[in-house]
Amino acid sequence: AQKVTQAQTEISVVEKEDVTLDCVYETRDTTYYLFWYKQPPSGELVFLIRRNSFDEQNEISGRYSWNFQKSTSSFNFTITASQVVDSAVYFCALQTASQGGSEKLVFGKGTKLTVNP
Amino acid sequence: EAQVTQNPRYLITVTGKKLTVTCSQNMNHEYMSWYRQDPGLGLRQIYYSMNVEVTDKGDVPEGYKVSRKEKRNFPLILESPSPNQTSLYFCASSLLGAGEQYFGPGTRLTVT
């Protein structure tokens, strides 16, 4: 079965600190996608990144970076120099090809990040 | 503008009163899906559809119905809502095999 674990329920940091959100996944599939979504207080889901299982290169987008390690089944998300606007709930999600073609996203329970001024 | 729309955005209703939450996408996506979000549980899939007239159950389908008569629309029907269906609901769509799903803005439903 597919599973995503975000062990950090809540994290609180002070502005300009770096923060890493952990994501550990479980799947027996060799082909899968990993996602991160941001849910600000307004409630919508904002797509941040998609990474396929064959691409282990780390990715950087501005202050955001992602570290994908198949050896530890982890897909961690780091925000550098955090800002108050980064305050949100962040979800990690897994999509595999073996779910009867359902394209279903299996979500972690989310990590609530609070960035204090 | 490419988007997924949901209506209503907020709804307060009473137990047993049938309701429909509409979902529409303008991207010609084959795949559409409904999720519910509950505190501490993340998002869980309710139903999905691979194309017109093709629907199937997700992880938490009890108490819900869906239909897919047109490619762009995928309404979620609660025939007899109960308080345990109080939740935040998201509709999503994507091209099959494309990976990224586009989410609607969410519908916050309260059943009293």
Side-chain angles (χ1 to χ4, degrees), chain B residues 2-90:
Chain B
Q3 60 181 350
V4 179
T5 57
Q6 294 179 229
N7 281 292
R9 295 289 313 280
Y10 303 90
L11 179 60
I12 300 175
T13 189
V14 297
T15 299
K17 185 176 181 181
K18 180 179 178 180
L19 67 91
T20 298
V21 183
T22 64
C23 173
S24 184
Q25 50 91 5
N26 62 0
M27 296 167 279
N28 203 36
H29 286 166
E30 300 94 356
Y31 180 82
M32 297 185 75
S33 179
W34 278 101
Y35 294 86
R36 62 177 287 174
Q37 181 183 359
D38 302 292
L41 295 178
L43 285 85
R44 295 174 292 167
Q45 190 184 57
I46 303 170
Y47 267 96
Y48 66 93
S49 170
M50 306 278 279
N51 216 323
V52 175
E53 303 292 359
V54 180
T55 64
D56 208 345
K57 297 176 181 178
D59 294 323
V60 288
E62 296 77 21
Y64 304 95
K65 286 175 57 176
V66 293
S67 68
R68 188 92 180 271
K69 293 183 169 53
E70 303 168 285
K71 197 172 187 179
R72 64 182 293 126
N73 296 323
F74 190 45
L76 179 69
I77 304 158
L78 286 72
E79 294 268 1
S80 182
S82 62
N84 65 12
Q85 293 178 297
T86 292
S87 189
L88 178 59
Y89 291 87
F90 287 98

Side-chain angles (χ1 to χ4, degrees), chain A residues 36-109:
Chain A
W36 276 95
Y37 285 88
K38 174 183 179 180
Q39 186 176 45
S42 51
E44 74 272 22
L45 284 166
V46 178
F47 167 81
L48 295 178
I49 189 172
R50 182 184 86 158
R51 176 53 51 90
N52 76 55
S53 53
F54 298 108
D55 182 3
E56 284 194 75
Q57 280 195 341
N58 292 331
E59 182 153 341
I60 298 174
S61 176
R63 297 184 296 107
Y64 295 170
S65 62
W66 291 269
N67 183 315
F68 176 29
Q69 292 197 334
K70 286 177 78 170
S71 60
T72 56
S73 297
S74 65
F75 187 46
N76 296 338
F77 173 32
T78 297
I79 302 175
T80 303
S82 60
Q83 300 176 0
V84 173
V85 293
D86 295 327
S87 296
V89 179
Y90 291 86
F91 291 98
C92 181
L94 167 70
Q95 182 185 64
T96 73
S98 68
Q99 297 175 116
S102 78
E103 313 267 325
K104 179 176 70 175
L105 288 167
V106 175
F107 285 85
K109 295 182 179 181

Side-chain angles (χ1 to χ4, degrees), chain A residues 5-9 22 111:
Chain A
T5 301
Q6 294 180 255
Q8 304 149 309
T9 306
D22 297 333
T111 297

